[in-house]
Amino acid sequence: MELKMSNLTKKFRDMTAVRNVSYTMTAGVYGLLGINGAGKTTLMRMLCTLLKPTGGSITWDGEDIFEMDGEYRKILGYLPQDFGYYPDFTVYDYLMYIASIKGVRPADQAPAGSGRYEESGKKEDEEIIRRDETAGRDRAGHVGRSEDLNS
């Protein structure tokens, strides 16, 4: 697995939001840190195929992500800082909801209390409503979503 950015650039009229970024990502979890206006959101939008770069390329295992279209999005896991969710869903409910959107058949979905779901540290998540969760616990459910559904 290799996601490679080569001389990636994005310009908006006279402003360059991303300038000649080159980086190769292999298996793992990555984050972007930077001041406001540094180009983080623009870079992520390009990585998610929401924006096309004005220069450079992005490839997944050597194939242009914009040519892969839906096949690339099936393998993409992305956890934004702010994200929408249904406040009455438990972590488990939310993971099963995302699994169904991603096309994972119900028979292939993990039962509550198994696999990475246990790694959240709270086996009783089945009973806990998401709006009562701390931001960190809430985000842990989304990290599980981005890891499990894209492996």
Side-chain angles (χ1 to χ4, degrees):
M1 180 228 112
E2 180 182 270
L3 180 63
K4 185 174 185 176
M5 296 166 268
S6 300
N7 300 314
L8 198 58
T9 297
K10 180 63 181 177
K11 293 183 180 182
F12 297 98
R13 294 193 178 121
D14 295 334
M15 193 223 11
T16 302
V18 175
R19 185 186 322 264
N20 295 322
V21 172
S22 293
Y23 193 79
T24 301
M25 297 180 183
T26 57
V29 177
Y30 294 83
L32 293 175
L33 298 174
I35 62 171
N36 290 345
K40 301 177 300 293
T41 299
T42 301
L43 177 61
M44 289 306 300
R45 287 182 178 165
M46 288 189 289
L47 291 174
C48 293
T49 69
L50 300 174
L51 278 177
K52 285 199 171 195
T54 50
S57 64
I58 308 170
T59 59
W60 172 264
D61 287 339
E63 192 172 344
D64 185 294
I65 65 169
F66 293 97
E67 292 175 11
M68 292 176 70
D69 199 33
E71 288 303 309
Y72 171 70
R73 284 192 284 291
K74 285 181 184 176
I75 56 176
L76 181 66
Y78 169 54
L79 177 62
Q81 180 174 343
D82 296 311
F83 46 84
Y85 64 91
Y86 297 100
D88 292 334
F89 275 20
T90 64
V91 170
Y92 179 76
D93 291 338
Y94 190 77
L95 289 173
M96 295 306 99
Y97 166 69
I98 295 299
S100 68
I101 288 174
K102 288 285 222 172
V104 177
R105 298 176 319 136
D108 294 333
Q109 296 174 3
S114 68
R116 296 210 189 236
Y117 183 69
E118 283 183 1
E119 292 177 20
S120 72
K122 290 177 88 175
K123 292 181 185 176
E124 68 274 11
D125 274 341
E126 177 74 23
E127 305 301 323
I128 294 176
I129 296 177
R130 293 180 54 79
R131 69 173 164 255
D132 294 332
E133 297 288 287
T134 65
R137 177 75 57 200
D138 185 58
R139 196 166 314 284
H142 289 278
V143 169
R145 172 195 76 187
S146 62
E147 289 178 352
D148 286 347
L149 297 178
N150 293 293
S151 56

